[in-house]
Amino acid sequence: MATREIFRRRTPLLQKHNHTMLMFSVKPRWARMIARGEKAHELRRRPPSRQAIGKIALIYATAPLSEIVCACRVEDIENEETELLWQRVGQHTGCTKLEYDEYFGQCDFANAVRLTLLDVPLYRANRAELKMRFQFSPPQSWRWADDLQELIG
């Protein structure tokens, strides 16, 4: 029992990170729509945790653009049965019902990250700059990006 008590005292408590920013990698078509304010819901099979709500999200357009195109605020992360989510937010996704169904396939539940476009000065760093200047690689889907704060002016 004494060993167990010592182990408990030496084990650090898991601390929640206070992240401030994340990045989504988005195909150029969708990234441009978000940047123009035409797409308010980003669809995800695996969304970020609810900790992302209220945080700044950098939108990175994948190849061939390979650069940050805009900054948004994460307003909400919605998870619902696939059909119900489409009925509620489909018109704000920029995609057709066929594209939506193909993306979510046989998933029973779908996720939508509700975004608000921010009107802030933004340095549109490309993939090479992110790597060289920040040692940061854009994600496959999304990742925390606290080290990129200085890109927003």
Side-chain angles (χ1 to χ4, degrees):
M1 182 110 161
T3 306
R4 197 174 274 165
E5 290 300 318
I6 291 170
F7 177 74
R8 282 188 190 148
R9 277 188 235 134
R10 289 186 182 172
T11 304
L13 296 174
L14 294 177
Q15 295 182 4
K16 209 175 198 182
H17 294 282
N18 288 327
H19 294 291
T20 56
M21 183 178 289
L22 64 157
M23 177 185 282
F24 288 104
S25 287
V26 181
K27 290 183 180 179
R29 172 186 169 194
W30 311 118
R32 285 188 199 104
M33 290 178 79
I34 294 169
R36 290 190 304 254
E38 299 168 0
K39 178 178 165 71
H41 286 80
E42 173 58 15
L43 302 172
R44 294 285 151 160
R45 288 186 201 102
R46 292 191 182 100
S49 69
R50 295 196 61 79
Q51 183 184 357
I53 296 171
K55 306 295 192 266
I56 293 173
L58 298 174
I59 305 301
Y60 174 84
T62 58
L65 287 181
S66 302
E67 70 178 10
I68 296 170
V69 296
C70 65
C72 299
R73 179 169 318 286
V74 175
E75 299 296 343
D76 198 8
I77 299 170
E78 304 170 48
N79 174 275
E80 244 180 300
E81 290 181 19
T82 308
E83 270 313 304
L84 293 175
L85 187 68
W86 171 258
Q87 290 169 14
R88 226 169 31 74
V89 304
Q91 66 189 18
H92 305 289
T93 64
C95 69
T96 66
K97 178 69 162 87
L98 179 61
E99 290 169 321
Y100 179 87
D101 289 341
E102 286 176 357
Y103 179 71
F104 285 111
Q106 299 300 313
C107 297
D108 293 328
F109 287 86
N111 303 283
V113 180
R114 186 163 44 97
L115 303 169
T116 299
L117 185 62
L118 297 177
D119 185 17
V120 295
L122 175 69
Y123 181 73
R124 293 171 56 131
N126 64 33
R127 183 178 187 84
E129 290 173 298
L130 290 169
K131 184 90 168 161
M132 290 183 66
R133 188 168 161 198
F134 299 98
Q135 294 73 53
F136 186 92
S137 295
Q140 278 294 110
S141 178
W142 74 273
R143 71 174 276 197
W144 294 111
D146 301 322
D147 295 340
L148 303 181
Q149 287 284 336
E150 69 184 70
L151 295 178
I152 295 181

